[in-house]
Amino acid sequence: MIRLLLTLCFLAAAVPARAAVDIQTLTTPGGIDAWLVEEHTIPFTALEIRFKGGTVLDPPGKRGVVNLMTGLLEEGAGDLDSRGFSEARESLAASFSYRAHDDDIAISARFLTENRDAAVALLKSSIMQPNFDQPDIDRVREQVLSSIRSDRTDPGAIANQTFDRLAWGDHPYGSSSDGTEDSVTALTRDDIVAAHENAFARDRLYVSAVGDITAEELAALLDELLGDLPATGAPLPPKAEMMLGKGITVVPFDTTQSLALFGHQGIERDDPDYIPAYILNEVFGGDGQSSRLMTEVREKRGLTYGIGTVLLPMDYGELIMGQVRSDNAKIAEAVRIITDEWASIARNGITEEELNDAKTYLTGAYALRFDGNAPIARIMVGMQMIGLPPSYVTDRNDQVMAVTLADIRRVAERIYQPDKLHFVVVGQPEGLDGTN
Amino acid sequence: MFRILVLALALALPPTLSQAAEVTSFELDNGMQVVVLEDHRAPVVVHMVWYKVGAADEPPGKSGIAHFLEHLLFKGTDDLAAGELSATVARNGGSDNAFTGWDYTAYFQRIAADRLELMMQMESDRMRNLQMTEEDVRTERDVVLEERNQRIDSEPGALFSEQGRAAQYLNHPYGIPIIGWRHEIEQLNRDDAFAFYKRYYAPNNAILVVAGDVAPDAVRALADSHYGPIAPTPDLSERVRPAEPPQLVERRLAFSDARVSQPYVNRTYLVTERNSGDQQEAARLTLLAQLLGGSGATSVLARKLQFESQQAVYSTVYYDDVSLDESTFGLIVVPTPGTDLKSVEGAMDQAISEFLDEGIDAEHFERLKFQIKASQIYADDNIQSLARKYGEGLASGLTIEDIEGWTDILMAVTAEEVIETAQGLFDKRKAVTGWIMPAENGEVIQ
């Protein structure tokens, strides 16, 4: 009986829920573009700010400076020292976070309607007038060094750094954005001030807001907060060259479970084949529990707790890559299965049933992402950075539904390249020899 | 300048903020408790079933069975093939998962609101009709062993934490890891799983939480028709676990692992948890943890150890307020490169002792109170974590009234009460102190 009911529900599933957000676009009197969703039921606002060009802007020999500079933004500004700044922020019950990524610096803020102006003034001081006092530089530097030291014995960090170095060589993508112990130790206050001037400018700014605020209020807020930024920042870097070839790199490490990263060249976000590629990745190793890799490596053989793959379209290079952890005695079998599956999807693509299942999952799951002010603001700022229009929110599912099996076959053959697939294995894998 | 402005605003806030999410609760005839949280901003629903059984309810020698069973619940029923439930959720554009704690096991799906009935059909089906083959059990046990490998055996901090809890709890099963000891996981079998399942997976041992774009009446009708017909487990006993004896001896653990790069000190104290109708002491502990180590820059340990003496690069204080039985209050300090563990531990104890003498900074206390008030506003933005808060609280011995009254209880705590609680707390006979060190560290724990 239950089975019959389920079948009926499958039919109903053809019409997925739509993301119900009403995006307004605006340009402030001062000339700042922003996207807004008004949501007045809860008296706070989530604000997302991005500056393109993150840790890739580290000058040669100064690896880690953008990361350290970003970490210092909340350590004192204007009249306030480090603790004074935190006390002021806590007094407002606002939260600000500052994160340095490879391709951007992300600032996320959340503040109550009732003290919005004071929160914005405080946030502004941290972006426009950070103090970078020497004792704070030294203290935060020690925190970064502590993290760099911890990475030395962390299999995940070792694997990532090895994979990145092999893939990207001397491009900033090829090394940890934290920097090395040597490079971070050598950074001076002047380096940090220069990194600040390079990073924050109007020519690379993206903004979105969701919450208890009108378009007019937001426009005034943004001109006050960001209107004093300089027009231009440092030049952005060139594309990185992918250097990875087929092979297995083993990094010996004393632990019971091996960790493997695997992948090769990916696909650009604005490539017309991106959506078919996204569907393929979903079927192959996506976040649904029933991906091909989860089925073959976990469900059928119990070789791992989790395995997944992602498309990583970055601004200066693209990867398709995955991760798996498996007992030292079993990782070789996992590597063999992944290699076989990689070849199989390249050769045969996916079945019509897999395509249809992925479509209903992806189109239904899309609406679930819009679940709160901050998540919606993050989605909107991300769309702006990759050049998508607001209408993508309503058109995106149609684009997914329009993909045909023929598209999938063509794109599978194009993006999965078994003769380029590289594994980096950290651990003491049995029966797996490094090939380079 | 900011401070004056803010204090004025704090007074302007009404004493209790109205909640955006409307809460309704009722009980089905078979004893299943139902909570509905309404949030109509998006056409989405979170459907959760919480069982009032967890790792601390396992039979001796069967550690990990609660968590292993959680994995097996995805294997299928009389009507659903292995993996079909998750695949069906995915085909309907939803996501699903589950988690196990010492006091509960919970299953949830997030999906378009009009698919709620399908979720109830499948979730109610697997409450009683689980099926699994020996092959399913063997393979899934390997998956759990790999999970343990990944989460515990590959993480020195997690390995220490396991040993630390075993030392903290002399008698209570909270000293046994949720995922289980490896040698016991290896022996878990189908019969163990079924025995545990048949006893504890029952409507009168479960809480249904439905949150999102739903109406309480509609949820009641659906719950009646899908969960209502399931027979309860008769004579399900009270959850009484072996209790802790008086703890009379300080415990000190020296843990070395080659994978540790950054040494640190971790200390935990055995403390009370939130109890139904009696949450005052837990509220004081919550505020104490916030004051001592809740913020990277302004809390007492950060100020004294990171800014003033500069003996630590990082410090934090944590307290698990929601728990069926006695909980822990923990402190972590990470020394600067020139500071050894003995010195940084001494500095931590010195900082606590100064705090007890100096009392609480009034402005610091005021800031915390305002943040607690504001956190109610922010909490309304995340319906899933709100649903989780109700499920976890109800599965851990609290009532809806306890959960809803918690903020007011926190707001009513005075600085004097926090100090009074702190004065009774730092008794090393109830504490476990761990030094987590790289393999060849020459330090000797005192």
Side-chain angles (χ1 to χ4, degrees):
Chain A
M1 184 197 83
I2 288 192
R3 200 172 295 273
L4 178 67
L5 284 171
L6 295 187
T7 310
L8 292 174
C9 285
F10 289 160
L11 296 175
V15 185
R18 294 271 171 187
V21 294
D22 179 15
I23 299 175
Q24 304 173 50
T25 59
L26 59 106
T27 302
T28 69
I32 297 170
D33 295 324
W35 291 12
L36 166 68
V37 171
E38 290 188 47
E39 175 54 71
H40 296 285
T41 53
I42 310 176
F44 82 97
T45 300
L47 180 67
E48 292 289 337
I49 303 167
R50 297 288 183 278
F51 293 93
K52 269 206 180 181
T55 61
V56 292
L57 290 179
D58 282 345
K62 307 286 183 193
R63 193 62 173 146
V65 70
V66 170
N67 177 61
L68 182 58
M69 180 275 292
T70 307
L72 282 161
L73 294 174
E74 60 182 337
E75 297 288 339
D79 299 337
L80 297 168
D81 66 7
S82 176
R83 265 163 41 210
F85 183 83
S86 287
E87 286 170 6
R89 186 183 49 71
E90 290 169 9
S91 297
L92 297 161
S95 68
F96 305 150
S97 91
Y98 311 84
R99 303 174 307 282
H101 301 141
D102 286 336
D103 292 343
D104 64 77
I105 293 174
I107 301 177
S108 306
R110 191 176 74 165
F111 40 78
L112 301 173
T113 302
E114 62 180 64
N115 58 26
R116 185 163 67 208
D117 291 348
V120 169
L122 188 64
L123 180 63
K124 178 181 180 181
S125 72
S126 70
I127 299 170
M128 302 302 298
Q129 311 165 271
N131 291 337
F132 299 132
D133 286 336
Q134 194 63 45
D136 297 314
I137 293 174
D138 294 338
R139 190 169 37 76
V140 176
R141 188 204 316 266
E142 277 307 325
Q143 293 168 352
V144 174
L145 289 171
S146 168
S147 163
I148 292 172
R149 281 191 291 270
S150 291
D151 284 350
R152 284 199 307 234
T153 51
D154 177 60
I158 294 169
N160 271 300
Q161 289 173 19
T162 306
F163 193 94
D164 287 344
R165 181 167 44 78
L166 294 171
W168 306 113
D170 290 336
H171 189 276
Y173 284 169
S175 61
S176 165
S177 55
D178 282 356
T180 64
E181 285 192 81
D182 286 347
S183 73
V184 171
T185 304
L187 293 173
T188 65
R189 184 173 189 280
D190 287 347
D191 295 330
I192 291 164
V193 170
H196 181 258
E197 285 170 2
N198 287 339
F200 296 111
R202 289 278 290 271
D203 64 349
R204 59 202 59 202
L205 171 66
Y206 299 85
V207 188
S208 70
V210 179
D212 185 23
I213 190 166
T214 65
E216 259 184 1
E217 289 166 337
L218 178 64
L221 181 157
L222 293 177
D223 280 342
E224 168 59 25
L225 177 66
L226 302 165
D228 296 342
L229 286 168
T232 54
L236 296 170
K239 273 274 194 185
E241 192 190 337
M242 161 64 73
M243 300 161 69
L244 211 54
K246 183 179 170 72
I248 298 175
T249 302
V250 174
V251 185
F253 187 75
D254 187 5
T255 183
T256 56
Q257 189 183 46
S258 292
L259 184 155
L261 294 180
F262 47 93
H264 57 51
Q265 178 84 41
I267 178 168
E268 293 185 2
R269 180 60 187 81
D270 55 8
D271 191 294
D273 285 340
Y274 187 79
I275 290 205
Y278 189 83
I279 293 175
L280 274 161
N281 179 66
E282 183 55 41
V283 172
F284 188 64
D287 55 9
Q289 291 281 317
S290 46
S291 72
R292 282 189 176 189
L293 290 181
M294 278 291 267
T295 303
E296 294 300 322
V297 183
R298 172 174 155 149
E299 297 305 322
K300 287 192 186 166
R301 297 177 179 85
L303 298 176
T304 189
Y305 173 56
I307 180 167
T309 56
V310 285
L311 299 180
L312 285 178
M314 302 174 289
D315 284 355
Y316 310 102
E318 310 77 40
L319 289 171
I320 173 168
M321 69 182 297
Q323 176 173 321
V324 65
R325 292 171 187 240
S326 192
D327 192 277
N328 283 330
K330 298 177 178 174
I331 188 77
E333 189 183 354
V335 166
R336 182 181 58 74
I337 292 164
I338 295 161
T339 307
D340 289 350
E341 290 297 323
W342 209 279
S344 161
I345 197 167
R347 198 168 51 242
N348 307 320
I350 59 175
T351 67
E352 184 140 29
E353 189 188 358
E354 284 176 316
L355 173 60
N356 290 336
D357 285 353
K359 282 180 177 178
T360 49
Y361 170 67
L362 291 172
T363 53
Y366 189 59
L368 303 187
R369 296 185 195 175
F370 296 77
D371 70 334
N373 290 357
I376 294 170
R378 277 197 297 274
I379 291 169
M380 290 199 302
V381 84
M383 286 169 60
Q384 293 175 68
M385 292 178 76
I386 53 180
L388 294 171
S391 59
Y392 181 75
V393 170
T394 43
D395 298 346
R396 182 264 196 191
N397 279 353
D398 297 336
Q399 295 181 28
V400 170
M401 293 308 288
V403 172
T404 66
L405 207 54
D407 296 331
I408 287 284
R409 289 249 159 80
R410 176 176 51 77
V411 176
E413 196 180 340
R414 179 188 154 194
I415 65 162
Y416 291 94
Q417 299 161 25
D419 58 336
K420 299 272 177 61
L421 182 61
H422 197 102
F423 289 82
V424 169
V425 184
V426 177
Q428 295 172 312
E430 291 172 22
L432 208 59
D433 294 322
T435 50
N436 65 340
Chain B
M1 182 196 78
F2 285 106
R3 183 161 306 136
I4 297 165
L5 187 67
V6 171
L7 288 181
L9 288 166
L11 296 174
L13 269 180
T16 304
L17 296 155
S18 63
Q19 292 208 327
E22 285 288 328
V23 182
T24 313
S25 71
F26 49 89
E27 198 173 298
L28 304 185
D29 292 341
N30 57 14
M32 188 167 183
Q33 191 174 4
V34 184
V35 180
V36 182
L37 305 173
E38 284 180 79
D39 176 1
H40 300 287
R41 291 179 301 161
V44 171
V45 69
V46 179
H47 171 255
M48 298 179 135
V49 171
W50 294 70
Y51 293 98
K52 289 186 262 185
V53 65
D57 301 300
E58 294 166 342
K62 303 287 182 190
S63 67
I65 192 68
H67 170 255
F68 184 40
L69 179 60
E70 176 227 296
H71 277 238
L72 293 171
L73 261 274
F74 292 85
K75 284 302 175 195
T77 67
D78 300 344
D79 295 307
L80 289 163
E84 189 177 344
L85 185 146
S86 292
T88 304
V89 174
R91 264 188 227 110
N92 282 271
S95 59
D96 72 322
N97 218 325
F99 46 90
T100 308
W102 278 284
D103 297 325
Y104 50 75
T105 313
Y107 301 82
F108 69 93
Q109 300 88 32
R110 280 187 72 229
I111 199 156
D114 61 2
R115 310 292 148 83
L116 177 61
E117 177 161 20
L118 176 61
M119 299 303 107
M120 286 202 190
Q121 278 169 20
M122 295 193 295
E123 197 63 80
S124 60
D125 182 28
R126 70 171 162 176
M127 183 180 289
R128 284 303 205 189
N129 302 324
L130 186 63
Q131 291 296 336
M132 53 189 151
T133 64
E134 287 288 354
E135 175 65 22
D136 287 338
V137 170
R138 265 195 306 276
T139 311
E140 201 58 30
R141 196 171 53 208
D142 283 347
V143 169
V144 171
L145 285 166
E146 287 300 333
E147 182 180 0
R148 190 190 149 88
N149 235 343
Q150 175 173 333
R151 294 191 171 192
I152 312 288
D153 300 326
S154 298
E155 299 285 339
L159 276 175
F160 168 76
S161 186
E162 219 174 56
Q163 301 285 317
R165 287 188 73 94
Q168 180 75 72
Y169 291 95
L170 302 173
N171 195 42
H172 191 285
Y174 283 167
I176 299 169
I178 293 169
I179 198 165
W181 300 114
R182 172 174 287 277
H183 66 283
E184 293 185 354
I185 300 173
E186 285 168 346
Q187 302 301 322
L188 294 176
N189 59 47
R190 190 168 172 269
D191 292 345
D192 296 333
F194 262 120
F196 200 76
Y197 173 70
K198 284 185 175 140
R199 173 151 189 79
Y200 293 113
Y201 280 55
N204 54 327
N205 200 39
I207 302 145
L208 170 67
V209 183
V210 179
D213 190 17
V214 291
D217 287 347
V219 173
R220 185 195 288 265
L222 289 174
D224 268 330
S225 82
H226 293 285
Y227 292 103
I230 303 172
T233 293
D235 58 54
L236 207 57
S237 51
E238 280 282 302
R239 303 172 81 187
V240 181
R241 285 87 167 253
E244 281 300 297
Q247 300 206 343
L248 306 176
V249 182
E250 177 185 9
R251 280 138 283 165
R252 300 188 66 79
L253 310 180
F255 176 78
S256 297
D257 188 305
R259 295 166 296 183
V260 174
S261 297
Q262 175 66 68
Y264 62 96
V265 176
N266 181 63
R267 167 141 0 116
T268 54
Y269 294 88
L270 189 71
V271 293
T272 190
E273 75 290 1
R274 283 166 65 183
N275 286 302
S276 185
D278 176 17
Q279 304 188 85
Q280 275 77 10
E281 185 65 9
R284 296 175 183 189
L285 288 165
T286 300
L287 283 159
L288 179 63
Q290 285 292 317
L291 286 163
L292 285 178
S295 144
T298 65
S299 49
V300 171
L301 290 186
R303 180 161 56 81
K304 289 179 184 286
L305 305 180
Q306 291 166 233
F307 285 82
E308 289 169 11
S309 73
Q310 302 200 2
Q311 288 165 288
V313 284
Y314 176 74
S315 59
T316 191
V317 177
Y318 55 96
Y319 166 54
D320 296 324
D321 56 329
V322 178
S323 177
L324 188 61
D325 299 315
E326 277 185 296
S327 183
T328 56
F329 186 98
L331 305 96
I332 288 175
V333 285
V334 182
T336 48
T339 309
D340 60 25
L341 291 176
K342 185 181 177 189
S343 305
V344 84
E345 187 190 344
M348 177 181 88
D349 283 329
Q350 176 68 27
I352 292 169
S353 145
E354 287 169 11
F355 168 76
L356 293 175
D357 290 342
E358 290 161 4
I360 295 169
D361 177 78
E363 287 174 2
H364 191 183
F365 202 60
E366 202 58 39
R367 285 199 306 273
L368 266 186
K369 289 288 188 73
F370 185 66
Q371 288 177 273
I372 289 165
K373 235 180 217 181
S375 69
Q376 280 194 306
I377 294 176
Y378 294 131
D380 279 337
D381 195 34
N382 190 331
I383 193 71
Q384 183 162 5
S385 56
L386 214 54
R388 206 171 158 142
K389 186 174 84 170
Y390 278 86
E392 184 186 22
L394 293 170
S396 305
L398 299 175
T399 63
I400 300 264
E401 294 70 38
D402 295 324
I403 295 164
E404 298 194 329
W406 176 238
T407 301
D408 285 345
I409 291 171
L410 285 171
M411 294 301 290
V413 173
T414 66
E416 293 71 30
E417 289 169 343
V418 173
I419 291 291
E420 190 189 316
T421 286
Q423 276 161 344
L425 167 65
F426 297 107
D427 175 353
K428 285 203 183 147
R429 292 173 305 171
K430 292 186 172 184
V432 175
T433 305
W435 285 10
I436 293 85
M437 299 172 286
E440 53 296 304
N441 194 302
E443 290 187 57
V444 176
I445 191 159
Q446 299 295 304

